[in-house]
Amino acid sequence: MMGPALKLDDVRFRWPGRASFGLSVPTFRMGQGESVLLIGDSGSGKSTLLSLVCGIVTADTGRVVVAGTDLSTLRAGARDRFRAEQIGVIFQQFNLLPYASVSDNILLPLRFAPKRRKRAAVDEATALCSALGLPEGTTRTTAGRLSVGQQQRVAVARALIGQPPLIVADEPTSALDATTQDAFLGLLFNQIAASGSSLLMVSHDERLGDRFDRVVPLSEIARAERQAA
């Protein structure tokens, strides 16, 4: 029987500094192939939680386990390699290389993830672009020449390339109107279903929840801790 895609147990973390922000997560689970929308206002700790899940920072106490691996057991370099292999990230600002081709942007994670790399990776990138509604030939275009909506789809393709078990999305629809949000989520969920990946998305917008298996208010699983200067 497969274990959860993600679990946090007794996690506590505090950013360094006199007036620092901390987060406490007693327990949280995500199943294999599950989609979860994590809802929280600005400053509630959503980005801190994603940093813990992705291994960008490590918990002061407790365990963050992704695809069966406890991130606290890995050194910094090993966590970076693990993140490249096991987690696809969709950033709020996309973080594309504007002067690189769309193909190079999509394939970039595979440079750091040999287990995720495939011989047919270029064909997979082209197929993802087509499935996400990008025009034929887009892979040869430099990313900086694309519209915002097209760049967003390239960012999704980059996260999905090589079918990592966990996709993490940081408010990818925050700049979109309702109609465009719905179209984007439709494309994203079609590809998530095809890859079998789990999806953890954070947002402040509860209206997105209909497509997800679960909608979880961050306040139900975590406690923000602010320390006065």
Side-chain angles (χ1 to χ4, degrees):
M1 183 177 179
M2 292 188 297
L6 170 66
K7 64 177 181 177
L8 285 78
D9 288 316
D10 299 321
V11 168
R12 292 179 67 90
F13 173 80
R14 180 172 293 281
W15 293 101
R18 291 182 60 193
S20 61
F21 176 86
L23 196 69
S24 172
V25 185
T27 184
F28 177 65
R29 296 286 190 279
M30 268 188 69
Q32 297 280 348
E34 186 179 20
S35 61
V36 174
L37 179 64
L38 200 60
I39 295 292
D41 295 330
S42 178
S44 62
K46 300 189 301 296
S47 294
T48 297
L49 181 62
L50 291 190
S51 294
L52 286 163
V53 169
C54 292
I56 296 169
V57 298
T58 55
D60 299 326
T61 61
R63 302 171 71 233
V64 178
V65 181
V66 178
T69 296
D70 183 350
L71 300 187
S72 68
T73 65
L74 304 178
R75 294 182 180 272
R79 287 200 311 275
D80 290 342
R81 290 191 294 274
F82 180 85
R83 180 169 58 253
E85 294 283 5
Q86 302 293 330
I87 304 173
V89 182
I90 305 172
F91 300 95
Q92 185 175 6
Q93 301 300 327
F94 312 150
N95 290 2
L96 301 180
L97 302 175
Y99 300 110
S101 71
V102 166
S103 179
D104 286 344
N105 271 281
I106 294 172
L107 297 173
L108 183 62
L110 304 189
R111 293 178 178 269
F112 310 99
K115 293 179 182 177
R116 196 167 146 188
R117 193 179 304 148
K118 297 179 180 179
R119 290 183 180 180
V122 174
D123 291 340
E124 184 184 358
T126 302
L128 280 168
C129 284
S130 177
L132 289 165
L134 288 164
E136 185 177 353
T138 298
T139 54
R140 298 188 296 273
T141 305
T142 55
R145 298 181 63 184
L146 301 179
S147 69
V148 172
Q150 290 173 329
Q151 289 182 22
Q152 185 180 51
R153 297 180 189 197
V154 172
V156 171
R158 181 183 57 192
L160 290 168
I161 192 78
Q163 300 182 339
L166 177 63
I167 303 296
V168 171
D170 184 6
E171 303 220 40
T173 65
S174 60
L176 305 179
D177 60 48
T179 300
T180 311
Q181 279 182 347
D182 189 62
F184 169 76
L185 288 174
L187 292 168
L188 174 60
F189 272 89
N190 285 341
Q191 295 309 303
I192 290 290
S195 68
S197 301
S198 304
L199 172 64
L200 175 64
M201 182 184 292
V202 300
S203 178
H204 63 277
D205 190 351
E206 297 183 26
R207 295 173 300 175
L208 306 179
D210 289 347
R211 291 183 180 271
F212 289 79
D213 296 323
R214 280 194 292 154
V215 178
V216 180
L218 182 61
S219 59
E220 287 188 1
I221 65 164
R223 183 174 69 253
E225 301 170 344
R226 291 174 173 82
Q227 180 174 297

